[in-house]
Amino acid sequence: MQAMNEAYERRMARARDLMDRDQVIEAARELEAASREAPGRALAWCGLAELARRVGNWPQVVRHLERAMEAEPQQMQHRVALAGAYAQLKQPATVRAVLGGALADSQSADGRLMIARAYASYGLRAEAAQAVAAALALQPDRVEALQLQAHLAVALGDAALAETSWQRLIELQPEQAEHYLALAQSQTLRQQPAAARQTFQTAVQRQPAAPELWAGLAQSAEDFGERDEAVQAYRQALRLRPGWPVALGGLLGLLAAQAEEALVEQAQRLLDSAQLADDDRAVLGYGLGRVYDRRQQPAAAFACWSQANAARRRSTGPFDRAHQQQRVERTRQVFDQTFFAQRTGWGVPDPRPVFVIGLPRSGTSLVEQILAAHPQVAGFGELPDIARIPTRIRASEGPLEWPEAATRLQPAQVQALAEGYLARLAEIQPGQQAQRWVDKAPLNFMHVGLIRLLFPAARIVWCERDPRDVALSIYSENFAHSQRHATDLEDLAAYQLQHRRLMAHWLQLFGAAIHRIEYAALIEEPESRVRELVAFLDLPWDEACLRFHESRREVLTPSRWQVRQPLYRHALERWRPYETQLAPFIEAARAGGLL
């Protein structure tokens, strides 16, 4: 027996050497011979599977891995590899079956964690979450498992579980700055900015040498209008990491015209450097551009923003105009008069939900701030919850995409979704007794049909602003990477055209439920426009709405500083000094009838 084992090991060693030298045919001969001599040992079968994998012969990979599993059924790595082969063969049901069986048989945290990672790598997040929970049941303080659980919870929209996981990781590894950053992000996703700020304040006390934590504290202080604290935190981050574009760009954006010349020169040198990474170039370009804008140097400002947007575009890829146009058209076709006539009485007729929508930078933050100043109104900020519902519905309806998947919904499902949304808002602000609850997510203009299905009594406030001012404001801001249209002037025109087209459809369907408020009119005639807005919500007039800028509530959008000032006129026609630079947008907008 020992001689047979030694012969097997020698043959496997020769096979590995041949594989390393890419002598595939000779390696295959050795492995086949080894598998015949010792069919009950898995190593040769795994080697044959590897050779088949190299040439993309996935059916053969499956056959060899199945033999490896027969030889060593207790080895989870064989099952995980087999699931990967079935994934390559586009057999998700079999992937689930293989990994599900492996999880049921696994008695170790290592095995369960391996299975969880496999599920996650194939995009099966819900199953991955179950597997990692099973691993943690055996080892509750396993760091890798807690990290995976937290990331999966974020992806699945369970910010509360993510927060719990990161809190435990901080207890286990208080020296890891990334845990505090992730915890604050989870708290922000739960609409708990005060908790996020406390996390950063605690973090810089425990880890004062971590520049990332000081930058996070600065951004959190900005959310609460604490300008001096934000400036000091950015400066501390720069002391710890001199020339760091993230902190430098944030500081310049905050100081604007008051920025010291030394900081401006340093930023310009960095921006002119060919070695600057795209993500750093973007954040620095947006901040430096704001300095030049406030100094009334439009050419210099726009040059910075153009660099920033070109860098961001290289990172995120181009905007798909055709996809957006198709998405709007499909939305118009699904959510038509017949759709709603067949669903009369569906949803929850709760009068509290108010949705403020429009293009970003069209005045949505300002309108929410005005409304939230009313004693009978609660402002919830920019919630992601409505936008997440289509993803959940699409997943449950199989092959149907959104919005077509909406046609499969049943009354009980719609009611459950509506009640879940209301419960989520009640969780954000426990004990809230306000008569109106404002959700200010501008891009919910894509989901007005869903909103009215869930809440047939919901009120919708549509904010409009001069398209040129909107384009310039978006182009000059550091928007989320998902907003790919924000990085190109012609894409901005195309996006605005589709927005206008969809809003025309919603007005035709729900005109009485949509209140249109134009930014310029609000600035020119504030009291009359605000009175109309309050009346639209069926609320008594309150003078506090005109003193909205006195509110100390947090604002988690780029408009955080503007909405803390009284209404001002200098934001009207902001585009005029940039008319030459905006020419591609203006031409495309005029061609499409936007101007």
Side-chain angles (χ1 to χ4, degrees):
M1 178 64 72
Q2 182 177 352
M4 290 179 61
N5 288 337
E6 290 175 353
Y8 182 84
E9 294 298 336
R10 286 194 297 272
R11 193 179 290 280
M12 290 303 304
R14 287 195 299 272
R16 282 193 294 270
D17 179 62
L18 291 166
M19 291 172 71
D20 290 341
R21 289 185 282 132
D22 287 330
Q23 295 183 18
V24 176
I25 295 176
E26 294 84 350
R29 288 173 181 157
E30 291 289 344
L31 291 169
E32 287 168 355
S35 66
R36 288 193 298 271
E37 293 167 2
R41 300 186 66 176
L43 195 58
W45 298 114
C46 290
L48 288 168
E50 171 59 26
L51 290 178
R53 184 183 291 107
R54 290 186 183 185
V55 297
N57 188 341
W58 295 103
Q60 197 169 70
V61 173
V62 167
R63 288 195 292 273
H64 292 319
L65 287 175
E66 285 177 340
R67 293 298 301 271
M69 281 179 55
E70 291 173 8
E72 296 178 351
Q74 75 281 5
Q75 294 298 323
M76 288 298 148
Q77 63 263 34
H78 302 331
R79 300 198 191 191
V80 169
L82 180 61
Y86 279 118
Q88 292 291 331
L89 291 170
K90 310 298 183 188
Q91 297 182 26
T94 310
V95 171
R96 286 187 171 91
V98 170
L99 292 178
L103 183 61
D105 293 342
S106 177
Q107 299 301 313
S108 74
D110 286 344
R112 293 176 181 184
L113 183 55
M114 182 189 303
I115 294 164
R117 287 172 173 153
Y119 272 129
S121 69
Y122 305 137
L124 303 175
R125 293 168 177 163
E127 293 87 344
Q130 293 174 354
V132 79
L136 287 167
L138 295 178
Q139 289 186 2
D141 290 339
R142 180 76 173 264
V143 168
E144 311 98 287
L146 284 166
Q147 289 174 325
L148 180 56
Q149 182 180 62
H151 289 301
L152 288 167
V154 171
L156 292 168
D158 190 349
L161 177 58
E163 183 175 346
T164 300
S165 301
W166 290 121
Q167 285 172 334
R168 183 56 186 151
L169 282 163
I170 287 172
E171 293 172 3
L172 295 170
Q173 297 180 323
E175 75 285 356
Q176 296 296 323
E178 59 268 25
H179 296 343
Y180 297 96
L181 293 167
L183 172 60
Q185 182 184 34
S186 296
Q187 290 166 330
T188 301
L189 288 172
R190 292 188 68 201
Q191 300 297 309
Q192 302 293 336
R197 189 166 180 224
Q198 180 61 55
T199 293
F200 282 122
Q201 290 171 336
T202 300
V204 297
Q205 291 175 0
R206 294 179 180 175
Q207 299 296 327
E212 300 88 348
L213 297 177
W214 286 102
L217 177 62
Q219 293 161 2
S220 180
E222 286 196 67
D223 294 339
F224 282 85
E226 299 294 342
R227 186 178 187 278
D228 291 343
E229 181 184 349
V231 168
Q232 292 171 10
Y234 277 131
R235 292 193 189 280
Q236 179 62 16
L238 285 171
R239 280 191 284 270
L240 293 167
R241 188 180 295 176
W244 184 28
V246 170
L248 183 55
L251 180 59
L252 288 172
L254 190 57
L255 294 175
Q258 283 75 47
E260 303 99 297
E261 195 59 36
L263 288 176
V264 175
E265 291 175 357
Q266 180 186 30
Q268 190 64 67
R269 285 195 302 272
L270 285 169
L271 203 59
D272 292 339
S273 169
Q275 285 73 43
L276 194 63
D278 279 339
D279 285 346
D280 289 339
R281 187 177 301 277
V283 72
L284 191 59
Y286 292 122
L288 183 57
R290 182 172 296 182
V291 174
Y292 290 132
D293 176 65
R294 296 297 188 271
R295 290 181 175 182
Q296 299 184 353
Q297 297 176 256
F302 207 87
C304 291
W305 294 332
S306 294
Q307 277 210 53
N309 282 301
R312 179 58 51 79
R313 195 175 185 83
R314 288 192 293 271
S315 298
T316 64
F319 174 59
D320 190 339
R321 298 183 198 173
H323 173 76
Q324 179 67 6
Q325 182 175 352
Q326 293 165 5
R327 187 180 172 210
V328 167
E329 181 55 35
R330 289 164 53 210
T331 299
R332 284 161 49 98
Q333 290 177 359
V334 168
F335 294 106
D336 58 10
Q337 289 182 346
T338 302
F339 178 93
F340 287 97
Q342 293 173 346
R343 291 161 177 81
T344 301
W346 287 33
V348 175
D350 193 315
R352 289 176 296 177
V354 177
F355 296 88
V356 178
I357 63 171
L359 291 166
R361 311 297 289 164
S362 63
T364 55
S365 293
L366 174 60
V367 167
E368 188 209 14
Q369 189 81 341
I370 290 170
L371 291 175
H374 195 289
Q376 296 183 31
V377 176
F380 286 83
E382 201 163 308
L383 297 175
D385 298 71
I386 290 294
R388 285 176 177 164
I389 290 175
T391 302
R392 292 163 53 193
I393 294 173
R394 185 171 65 241
S396 67
E397 294 303 322
L400 273 185
E401 290 292 317
W402 183 267
E404 289 78 12
T407 62
R408 294 281 187 87
L409 291 173
Q410 298 301 311
Q413 291 175 282
V414 172
Q415 181 161 342
L417 289 169
E419 290 174 348
Y421 174 85
L422 294 174
R424 158 83 168 133
L425 268 61
E427 176 190 350
I428 294 171
Q429 295 189 21
Q432 181 55 252
Q433 298 299 314
Q435 298 300 303
R436 300 290 178 264
W437 294 0
V438 180
D439 180 342
K440 183 218 77 89
L443 300 189
N444 275 345
F445 76 82
M446 286 297 306
H447 305 300
V448 171
L450 173 61
I451 288 169
R452 291 291 293 178
L453 179 64
L454 299 178
F455 303 108
R459 293 167 175 83
I460 297 165
V461 179
W462 175 31
C463 297
E464 277 204 291
R465 187 182 179 189
D466 187 307
R468 293 159 293 195
D469 280 336
V470 169
L472 178 63
S473 294
I474 292 176
Y475 195 74
S476 63
E477 285 290 349
N478 185 10
F479 272 83
H481 289 205
S482 59
Q483 304 305 312
R484 295 181 178 180
H485 65 279
T487 62
D488 179 86
L489 293 173
E490 292 183 356
D491 285 346
L492 280 164
Y495 192 86
Q496 289 201 42
L497 285 166
Q498 293 306 317
H499 165 261
R500 182 75 62 85
R501 183 164 166 257
L502 185 55
M503 287 308 306
H505 177 71
W506 299 137
L507 285 170
Q508 185 178 20
L509 287 179
F510 316 116
I514 300 176
H515 180 75
R516 178 178 172 183
I517 186 163
E518 210 279 319
Y519 184 82
L522 178 61
I523 300 301
E524 298 285 4
E525 305 169 351
E527 182 167 349
S528 63
R529 300 300 180 175
V530 174
R531 283 183 177 274
E532 290 174 358
L533 183 59
V534 172
F536 173 68
L537 269 57
D538 288 337
L539 293 176
W541 171 247
D542 196 290
E543 292 288 337
C545 293
L546 296 178
R547 301 192 303 274
F548 63 90
H549 53 280
E550 298 174 1
S551 171
R552 303 307 299 167
R553 63 186 293 269
E554 67 277 3
V555 181
L556 308 182
T557 75
S559 303
R560 55 172 68 89
W561 297 110
Q562 292 93 321
V563 301
R564 292 192 171 96
Q565 304 173 48
L567 293 175
Y568 51 82
R569 299 194 76 262
H570 61 259
L572 297 179
E573 297 191 335
R574 183 184 169 221
W575 64 273
R576 287 202 177 276
Y578 295 92
E579 185 170 7
T580 299
Q581 291 85 357
L582 286 173
F585 172 85
I586 293 171
E587 291 173 9
R590 283 177 177 158
L594 194 62
L595 294 174

